[in-house]
């Protein structure tokens, strides 16, 4: 289910544009035509998209600012004043519940000198107070206290200097998304067919999902797209990259051979979303206690056979641009960009609210051991992304195109899974991901159109 969380309007909503005579010179916002960097038809990619600083700044303007980005899980907010600090691109954001129990999001930057007004990761408060000069804001984003107010001119009005509010915040099955775009398409429309795949993880029963174990954060040396793309499209790496981890999980079998012979499908979407999943009843490498607790017959009744034997196996997925998840492991995560060469990974463990405590704990521990900061699979992935990034700045290396040709021509509607799908071993969702990235990078966002 999608719900819209209405932001404040009129003078209560802070002005997001400079007042007075400030005008930013066009030379500070130079855009590059990236048409020649991504060839979705032939499956070729220029490595400059991972390394160029100017392209990265353009991403923040045209990919992150206009799109729906994941902010938090609704289970992190139970009473007015609960808050969680996160990012939209590199813009720091406070997500909070106001006095009317609405979820709101604000730019975490004081309107006076620009310092963060909330430096805690999460918690509860009545006001957000800047520790630089003491400007304080309430849960509606209003400026409610200012030291030495008499020193300001008569034209100064506190109503004009509230926190800049994220204009649109919506939820989908407990996941909170926000966008700076003043006129976005509804979140549900943005998700499109991806919602069907998301529901395989989030819609097990009417109670929904909750977060266990807090938020884990770590830093990787690598471009954020490398991670987002892999979760959208890449089952291909499992056999090689995770061979040792698979041996640990199944020391008496030959899991490597079992994995390489899996069959499955890969979903690709024009909005850049992607998902891959084996279609095999025994393809669940999840915690045994969780596996035994799940009522698969009830899930088949609720979700249908195609979802239970497809995306609900060891699937992987990305909601464009930087929100990814693994249904069986119970991990959802954001790849926060921190420059072209670095990302922060923020990861939550999400479980069914109906899970008893011992099953929740089993899922939490299994998540940590596999895809936590020191997880046996997560370490392999981080090493791969860092390796790709480390050598991509070389002159010759950076000029050699990358191959994304696997599965070209296999895209079709298979009649069982919504939208367009390809083979399990395919780069189709990767091509769609970068095709969407290219189109957004070449399209002026709302803030550019207003100045023309």
């Amino acid at each position: 289910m999608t719900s819209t969380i209405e932001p404040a309007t009129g003078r209560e909503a802070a002005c997001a544009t400079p007042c007075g005579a400030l005008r930013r010179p066009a030379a500070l916002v130079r855009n590059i035509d990236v048409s020649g960097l991504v060839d979705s038809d032939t499956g070729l990619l220029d490595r400059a998209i991972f390394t160029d600083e100017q392209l990265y700044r353009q991403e923040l303007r045209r990919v992150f600012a206009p799109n729906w980005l994941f902010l938090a899980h609704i289970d992190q907010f139970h009473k007015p004043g609960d808050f969680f600090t996160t990012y939209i691109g590199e813009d720091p954001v406070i997500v909070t519940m106001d006095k009317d129990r609405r979820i709101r999001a604000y730019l975490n930057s004081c309107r006076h000198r620009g310092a963060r007004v909330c430096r805690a990761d999460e918690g509860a408060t009545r006001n957000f107070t800047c520790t630089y000069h003491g400007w304080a804001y309430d849960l509606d984003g209003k400026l409610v206290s200012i030291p030495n107010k008499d020193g300001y001119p008569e034209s100064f009005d506190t109503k004009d200097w509230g926190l800049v509010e994220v204009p649109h915040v919506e939820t989908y099955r407990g996941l909170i998304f926000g966008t700076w775009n003043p006129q976005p398409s509804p979140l549900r429309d943005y998700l499109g067919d991806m919602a069907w795949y998301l529901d395989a993880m989030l819609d097990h029963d009417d109670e929904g999902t909750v977060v266990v174990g807090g938020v884990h954060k770590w830093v990787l040396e690598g471009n954020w797209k490398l991670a987002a793309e892999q979760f959208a499209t890449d089952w291909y790496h499992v056999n090689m990259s995770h061979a040792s981890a698979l041996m640990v999980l199944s020391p008496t079998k030959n899991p490597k051979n079992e994995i390489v012979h899996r069959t499955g499908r890969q979903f690709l979407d024009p909005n850049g979303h992607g998902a891959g999943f084996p279609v095999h009843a025994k393809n669940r490498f999840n915690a045994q206690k969780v596996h035994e607790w799940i009522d698969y017959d009830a899930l088949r009744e609720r979700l249908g056979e195609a979802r239970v034997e497809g995306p609900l196996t060891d699937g992987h997925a990305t909601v464009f641009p930087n929100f990814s998840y693994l249904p069986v492991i119970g991990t959802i995560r954001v790849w926060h960009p921190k420059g072209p060469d670095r990302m922060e990974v923020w990861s939550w463990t999400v479980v069914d609210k109906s899970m008893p405590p011992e099953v929740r704990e089993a899922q939490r521990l299994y998540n940590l051991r596999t895809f936590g900061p020191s997880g046996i699979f997560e370490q392999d992935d981080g090493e791969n992304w860092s390796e790709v990034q480390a050598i991509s700045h070389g002159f010759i290396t950076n000029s050699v195109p990358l191959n994304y040709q696997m599965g070209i021509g296999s895209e079709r509607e298979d009649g069982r899974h919504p939208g367009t799908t390809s083979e399990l071993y395919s780069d189709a969702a990767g091509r769609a991901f970068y095709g969407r990235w290219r189109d957004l990078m070449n399209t002026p966002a709302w803030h550019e159109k207003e100045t023309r």
Side-chain angles (χ1 to χ4, degrees), residues 104-420:
R104 312 274 287 272
Y106 305 100
L107 186 68
N108 189 4
S109 177
C110 182
R111 297 295 301 280
H112 179 232
R113 290 293 189 270
R116 284 176 294 172
V117 298
C118 182
R119 301 193 185 189
D121 292 339
E122 58 188 327
T125 188
R126 294 181 180 179
N127 292 305
F128 299 103
T129 302
C130 180
T131 56
Y132 196 176
H133 295 93
W135 282 31
Y137 307 82
D138 66 12
L139 300 179
D140 291 326
K142 297 177 183 177
L143 179 59
V144 293
S145 178
I146 174 171
N148 196 32
K149 185 179 178 181
D150 293 340
Y152 286 84
E154 292 184 3
S155 60
F156 178 85
D157 190 339
T158 56
K159 292 181 180 179
D160 295 331
W161 295 96
L163 293 176
V164 175
E165 182 165 12
V166 178
H168 291 278
V169 175
E170 295 185 17
T171 66
Y172 183 80
R173 297 203 185 280
L175 305 181
I176 303 171
F177 289 79
T179 177
W180 292 114
N181 192 339
Q183 295 183 314
S185 60
L187 174 61
R188 181 60 183 81
D189 292 348
Y190 177 74
L191 293 174
D193 288 327
M194 188 68 195
W196 187 88
Y197 298 89
L198 263 172
D199 287 356
M201 178 179 183
L202 301 173
D203 188 28
H204 294 181
D205 53 53
D206 292 338
E207 294 189 57
T209 59
V210 294
V211 174
V212 295
V215 184
H216 294 266
K217 305 176 183 181
W218 61 99
V219 176
L220 288 176
E221 303 300 319
N223 188 276
W224 67 272
K225 293 187 292 297
L226 295 170
E229 163 223 307
Q230 178 178 300
F231 271 62
T233 197
D234 194 353
W235 184 266
Y236 187 38
H237 79 288
V238 175
N239 177 47
M240 176 62 71
S241 293
H242 298 315
S244 59
L246 292 170
M247 291 298 291
V248 169
L249 291 180
S250 302
T252 61
K253 301 180 182 179
N254 186 1
K256 186 174 179 180
N257 184 60
E258 292 176 8
I259 288 292
V260 79
H261 290 104
R262 284 287 190 252
T263 58
R265 302 300 294 167
Q266 185 178 116
F267 163 72
L268 55 142
D269 187 87
N271 278 337
H273 317 314
F277 47 89
V279 286
H280 193 291
K282 296 182 179 180
N283 213 80
R284 297 185 177 89
F285 293 97
N286 55 348
Q288 187 64 26
K289 185 170 289 189
V290 177
H291 183 66
E292 293 171 351
W293 176 81
I294 293 175
D295 186 341
Y296 289 104
D297 290 335
L299 284 180
R300 289 185 179 91
E301 183 71 23
R302 185 180 183 93
L303 300 174
E305 183 78 15
R307 266 189 285 211
V308 175
E309 300 305 334
L312 193 53
T313 63
D314 271 332
H316 52 85
T318 291
V319 175
F320 187 90
N322 65 331
F323 172 74
S324 299
Y325 65 94
L326 302 174
V328 169
I329 307 298
T331 181
I332 62 174
R333 69 256 311 276
V334 176
W335 318 101
H336 285 302
K338 299 297 177 184
D341 295 314
R342 177 174 292 188
M343 67 180 117
E344 279 190 18
V345 189
W346 290 20
S347 175
W348 293 249
T349 300
V350 172
V351 301
D352 297 343
K353 190 174 182 179
S354 56
M355 275 187 179
E358 65 275 12
V359 180
R360 292 185 183 192
E361 181 65 4
Q363 183 74 311
R364 185 186 71 85
L365 292 176
Y366 193 78
N367 190 335
L368 284 178
R369 292 164 181 164
T370 54
F371 284 92
S374 59
I376 56 176
F377 290 97
E378 192 72 40
Q379 294 297 299
D380 298 331
D381 291 335
E383 179 67 21
N384 286 334
W385 303 327
S386 297
E387 166 66 12
V388 170
Q389 194 72 26
I391 65 171
S392 289
H393 284 278
F395 170 66
I396 299 298
T397 309
N398 198 261
S399 65
V400 177
L402 300 180
N403 184 301
Y404 284 76
Q405 297 180 332
M406 182 180 286
I408 284 182
S410 67
E411 300 90 341
R412 62 185 174 86
E413 293 187 7
D414 62 27
R416 182 172 174 83
H417 308 99
T420 302

